[in-house]
Every structure is written in structure tokens, then in C-alpha cells.
Amino acid sequence: MAYDWLKGVSDEYDVIVIGSGLGGLTGANVLAKAGHRVLLLEHHYQFGGLATWFTRKGGHIFDISLHGFPVGMIKSCRKYWTKEIAESIVQLKDIRFVNPQMDVWTTFTREDYTRVLVEKFGLERAHVEKFYDYLRGMNFYDNNPETTGEMLERFFPGRDDVKRLLMEPIAYANGSTLDDPAITYGIVFSNFMGSGVYTFRGGSDLLIGKMVEELKKNGLELRKHVLVEKILVEEHDGQKVACGIVAKGGRVIRAKAVLSNASIKNTILRLAGQENFPAEYLAAAQAVRINSSSCQVYLGIKKGESIPHIGDLVFTSKNPKFSSEELNDFHTTSRTFSVYYPDTRPGSDRYTVVASINGLYADWQKLSESEYAVEKTRLIEESLAALESYIPGVRAKIDWMEAATPRTIERYTTHMLGTSFGTKFEGLKVSMDLSEKLPGLFHAGSVGIIMSGWLGTINYGVIVANKIDKLLFNLKQELASPRI
């Protein structure tokens, strides 16, 4: 008989959280600390969503992708998690861009990035500052129709090299293209363009472990290996409301509120059921565009071997100039190496390298199993060859290599079309309006201007948790009020 992963779980909670990405984990923690009874369910065998890791023989531990976030992560983790977690967040010192147009090293701070643009690219400092100020002043409610490509051309006409330096890191961070609204670029770039790029020292395994400890300390119930098949919807006083979940196997667990950390389209179109939403809102949800996906190549260095310092994040390409189409092309030459040196995991003497390559789900989904295996091998070989141009002979030092694709992401996250980067711009409003269209159901995840990224999803989890806390407070007040 299969093990019952819901053994001991109550039949009712104040809140059920579906999914354990950083938005779900953080929302759950805020609600648990507020005194609510919270159950968090994750279908995978590990918590963390895309902020996770895996191990392989030979002692290798791989973070699943490139991880970098703004300095604001320190404040958010200190406020909504723990001081210990916040103090493990450290700056990446060497961000590198290597392509036919440049070989540039920068700390990615505003001061150093400005230095590079002035000294290496010959721009006027005042003009660079004007550009930064314009981005900082962007507002979600301005309804500015300008695209990122149009904005960059307006500020830096004919300067494809400058556009590449400005655009490439954000395209890898959240899937932005030159055709997306400028605000989707501006807000993310402004968040980074201050004190540089940060990461969690110790790896995702340590981070998620500490978060799980904190959740349990705050009384939260967590369960892995539990797939939620649908959100329970009932009619109360003539209105449809979300009032719990149905897990695989048929177990029903009720709740006053449900927080979905699944993708917004999965939440509405699959879990909640299209029949439970107004036609106009359903059409808006169906029209939300899924952002692109990505591939990763994991390279493990043999125990006892070392590699030279080539930068913490190395953005590489053989393409003559930046192109959103080329970046997502099935045979792109553009990839970012995220290098994990021993001090990334204190106490370890191990090195690992993760190559991240943007990609499109459709290109990988159409392959037969035999074709799929061939293309994964090609992906590994091309990444190895690219890495050897920076570390000659590195191939002989590697004793583990494997590749992940958009199909892998779909399998382990259930994200629609295997997206790594959530939805396009229009997804944010659909997500924010969810609880108005189906009371009791809320969403936190990678949508719109929040898109991908640890800081955005954590903060969105907090915002939505506060909305749920208000709902629960009002329900409690209603129950306490004497009926006339």
C-alpha cells in the first residue's frame, strides 16, 4: 500500500497553500506568524519550487539554475523570515559579459555600471544618470505603450553594444524581450541597479532547510508528495467561493482561504475550473501570455580538482549583437555560466558550473524521445565547448554532466508550457483580481512586472498574505458580531 503523505493532516484549516515556491513559502510564513492555522502542500519531493537543488553521485550538489537578486532581498528576508537567513545573503563581485562586442567585468552596482558605460562605451555620465532616473520614475499605472526596444533606441540610438550590456542580464533574469513593455524592463533593472547582484551563501538546500525550520517553528503544517487535483468550490448564499482542496486520491481538506502558488493559468484554467469564473475574466486569463522557458547544463568538478576564477556570472554569446529571437533560438550561442566556487558553500572544497540557456517549450516538446536525447547531448557538448574557451582543459576535470530542458521544468513544477519566468505583463492584473472573481481564492507567483526572481515572488507572497489576513479577520469579526 502506498504511503499516505496526508496522514495526520486535519480536515480543515484557516488557509491552504498550494505549492512551495518562495511566494507560497513566504505567504504561508506570514500567515502562520499571524496566528492562522496553515497547511502547505507540495507535489514534488522537495520544497522550494524553482529555488531548489538536487544531488548526484560523487558528492555533487546543484542549485537548479542561475540565482541572483537585488539587495532588497536582505531586508525582505530579515523582516519576513529570519536574521540568520538575511545575513547569509552576499554580493556577487564579478559579473562578466563576453561576446563579439565586449569583454566587460563589473560589480553591477550603479557606480561601477556607470563607470563601464562612460569609460568603455564613451557615454556621457549625465546621460547615463538621466536614463537611470527615467527607469526609477516608471509607474505601473502610467499605461506607457513604449516597448523596451523603443525606449533603448530613444536613449541610445544606434548603440547596439550599449543595448546589449543593458538588456542581456534582464533577459536572463525574467525572460524580457525587446518587444515587451518598457516597464517590465525598467522596474527590474532599477531594483538591481543600486548595490549589485546578490546570492544566498550556502546554497538553496541550506536556504530552504532554514525556511522549513522557521515554518515548523511557527506552527505550520507542511506536506510533500501531495498533488492538489482541484480547488474545492461551493456556492454559499448564492455566490461561488473557494473553500478548500481535493488532493490526488480524493482527500478533501477544507479552508477559509486558499493561496495558490501554482502558475496563474494553472490556478484558473485547471485547478479552480473555468466554469467558476465570469466570462470576461476567464477570457482575460486565457489571453495571458506565458513567458519563455530555459535549459540548464549541470557540470560537476571532480573532488580535489579546482578551476580558476572566471567571474561569478558570465554572460556569453557568439552572436554579433543582442537579439531576443537569437537568445531563445533552439541553437542559440548565448548562455550564462553561474560558477559556484568553494566559498559559495562554506566548508566545501567543491566547484560546480551551471550553464543557463533561454529556450522555448515548443522547440523541445515536439521532439521524439530519441531526438530529445540527442538534443540534450548537443546542449551539454556546446556548453562544455563554450566553457573550455574560458577554462582550457576543464573537460578533464568534470565527472558529472547532465541537462535539463523546458520539459524537465514542466515535469517537476507543473508550470504550463514549462515556463521559467511566469507570465507576461498582463498576468499581474489577472492575478491581483482573482479573489474578487472567486472569493476565498488568492494567487502569489511569477506574474507581469514581478515576473521571475526571488525578491519579487517573496514580496508578492507577503502582499497576498496580508490580503488573506484581512479576510480572515473580517470573517472572525462577523462570527463574533451578535445577530439581530
Side-chain angles (χ1 to χ4, degrees):
M1 181 179 292
Y3 182 79
D4 181 8
W5 292 96
L6 287 172
K7 184 178 180 180
V9 166
S10 299
D11 290 328
E12 187 168 358
Y13 290 82
D14 293 325
V15 186
I16 295 173
V17 179
I18 304 170
S20 66
L22 290 179
L25 289 174
T26 306
N29 198 41
V30 170
L31 289 163
K33 287 200 290 186
H36 303 299
R37 293 184 69 234
V38 183
L39 170 67
L40 185 146
L41 302 174
E42 168 58 50
H43 84 281
H44 192 27
Y45 62 81
Q46 288 188 159
F47 298 115
L50 284 172
T52 192
W53 75 99
F54 62 92
T55 60
R56 289 293 185 263
K57 66 180 183 181
H60 299 295
I61 304 176
F62 294 101
D63 278 24
I64 64 155
S65 188
L66 169 161
H67 294 318
F69 36 79
V71 68
M73 188 76 170
I74 297 175
K75 180 180 178 181
S76 289
C77 284
R78 182 179 291 114
K79 186 172 183 179
Y80 304 114
W81 285 102
T82 67
K83 179 182 177 183
E84 182 183 14
I85 289 175
E87 289 179 346
S88 295
I89 295 171
V90 296
Q91 185 181 358
L92 297 177
K93 297 296 176 65
D94 293 315
I95 314 300
R96 189 176 176 190
F97 298 84
V98 189
N99 55 64
Q101 293 174 295
M102 67 193 75
D103 186 346
V104 170
W105 295 66
T106 175
T107 61
F108 212 80
T109 61
R110 177 165 177 158
E111 178 182 353
D112 193 61
Y113 219 59
T114 302
R115 175 192 63 79
V116 170
L117 287 167
V118 172
E119 295 180 3
K120 304 290 186 181
F121 293 81
L123 299 178
E124 294 291 334
R125 180 176 293 272
H127 189 66
V128 174
E129 296 289 346
K130 182 180 178 181
F131 175 68
Y132 292 157
D133 292 342
Y134 177 77
L135 298 185
R136 182 66 66 181
M138 281 184 160
N139 189 312
F140 172 71
Y141 299 101
D142 285 344
N143 195 27
N144 183 351
E146 189 174 41
T147 67
T148 299
E150 290 168 344
M151 177 188 67
L152 292 176
E153 178 62 20
R154 178 162 59 85
F155 273 93
F156 309 105
R159 292 298 302 270
D160 289 335
D161 54 345
V162 173
K163 295 173 191 174
R164 183 176 215 155
L165 182 68
L166 294 170
M167 186 67 191
E168 212 160 47
I170 308 305
Y172 278 103
N174 68 6
S176 286
T177 71
L178 292 169
D179 294 326
D180 285 323
I183 191 171
T184 64
Y185 171 88
I187 290 179
V188 177
F189 187 87
S190 293
N191 284 339
F192 277 105
M193 191 43 56
S195 301
V197 180
Y198 289 74
T199 193
F200 186 82
R201 175 173 285 166
S204 298
D205 52 330
L206 182 64
L207 170 67
I208 300 303
K210 290 183 180 299
M211 286 183 167
V212 168
E213 287 176 12
E214 179 68 9
L215 288 167
K216 291 180 177 178
K217 174 184 170 184
N218 292 325
L220 189 135
E221 187 82 49
L222 304 97
R223 296 299 169 97
K224 295 182 285 190
H225 300 281
V226 178
L227 177 67
V228 173
E229 291 197 325
K230 69 177 182 177
I231 292 165
L232 186 65
V233 178
E234 295 177 347
E235 191 168 304
H236 294 176
D237 299 324
Q239 183 178 39
K240 289 182 177 181
V241 297
C243 52
I245 63 95
V246 181
K248 186 176 182 180
R251 175 74 185 274
V252 174
I253 307 172
R254 304 184 71 86
K256 299 179 181 70
V258 176
L259 170 55
S260 175
N261 191 212
S263 74
I264 185 61
K265 291 181 80 85
N266 277 359
T267 299
I268 295 170
L269 305 180
R270 295 178 179 173
L271 292 174
Q274 300 182 34
E275 69 278 7
N276 293 313
F277 295 96
E280 185 177 351
Y281 178 75
L282 182 60
Q286 290 171 329
V288 171
R289 295 165 296 159
I290 297 294
N291 221 321
S292 56
S293 186
S294 60
C295 302
Q296 286 76 40
V297 173
Y298 302 100
L299 304 172
I301 306 299
K302 297 175 186 176
K303 186 174 179 58
E305 294 282 3
S306 64
I307 58 175
H309 187 89
I310 61 168
D312 297 305
L313 289 180
V314 188
F315 296 89
T316 73
S317 180
K318 293 182 179 178
N319 207 44
K321 65 180 184 178
F322 177 82
S323 162
S324 296
E325 291 74 24
E326 192 278 338
L327 195 69
N328 289 321
D329 189 84
F330 191 58
H331 293 281
T332 181
T333 65
S334 301
R335 56 181 49 82
T336 298
F337 292 107
S338 186
V339 187
Y340 294 81
Y341 301 97
D343 61 357
T344 305
R345 296 178 182 274
S348 168
D349 61 351
R350 304 303 294 272
Y351 296 77
T352 60
V353 180
V354 180
S356 294
I357 304 104
N358 283 20
L360 301 176
Y361 177 82
D363 288 339
W364 290 91
Q365 180 59 21
K366 66 185 180 184
L367 301 176
S368 68
E369 288 304 313
S370 59
E371 291 171 332
Y372 184 58
V374 168
E375 294 301 339
K376 287 178 73 174
T377 299
R378 172 186 62 81
L379 204 64
I380 293 170
E381 181 56 37
E382 289 176 353
S383 295
L384 267 174
L387 183 61
E388 282 200 302
S389 65
Y390 308 104
I391 310 175
V394 70
R395 186 186 299 260
K397 297 183 177 184
I398 294 171
D399 66 352
W400 188 268
M401 59 185 78
E402 67 178 278
T405 74
R407 285 165 62 164
T408 315
I409 294 171
E410 180 188 46
R411 175 185 174 190
Y412 286 108
T413 68
T414 73
H415 286 180
M416 190 172 286
L417 303 185
T419 178
S420 302
F421 305 112
T423 74
K424 294 291 187 181
F425 182 73
E426 63 273 9
L428 180 58
K429 178 170 174 50
V430 173
S431 173
M432 293 175 68
D433 290 349
L434 181 60
S435 60
E436 296 177 11
K437 307 304 178 182
L438 184 58
L441 179 57
F442 299 79
H443 176 258
S446 185
V447 285
I449 59 172
I450 294 169
M451 293 178 129
S452 184
W454 287 20
L455 179 59
T457 49
I458 277 184
N459 287 343
Y460 197 29
V462 173
I463 291 168
V464 176
N466 288 334
K467 290 174 68 175
I468 295 173
D469 181 59
K470 183 178 180 180
L471 168 70
L472 297 176
F473 176 81
N474 290 338
L475 289 175
K476 185 177 180 180
Q477 291 295 102
E478 288 176 11
L479 291 173
S481 299
R483 295 189 177 184
I484 299 174

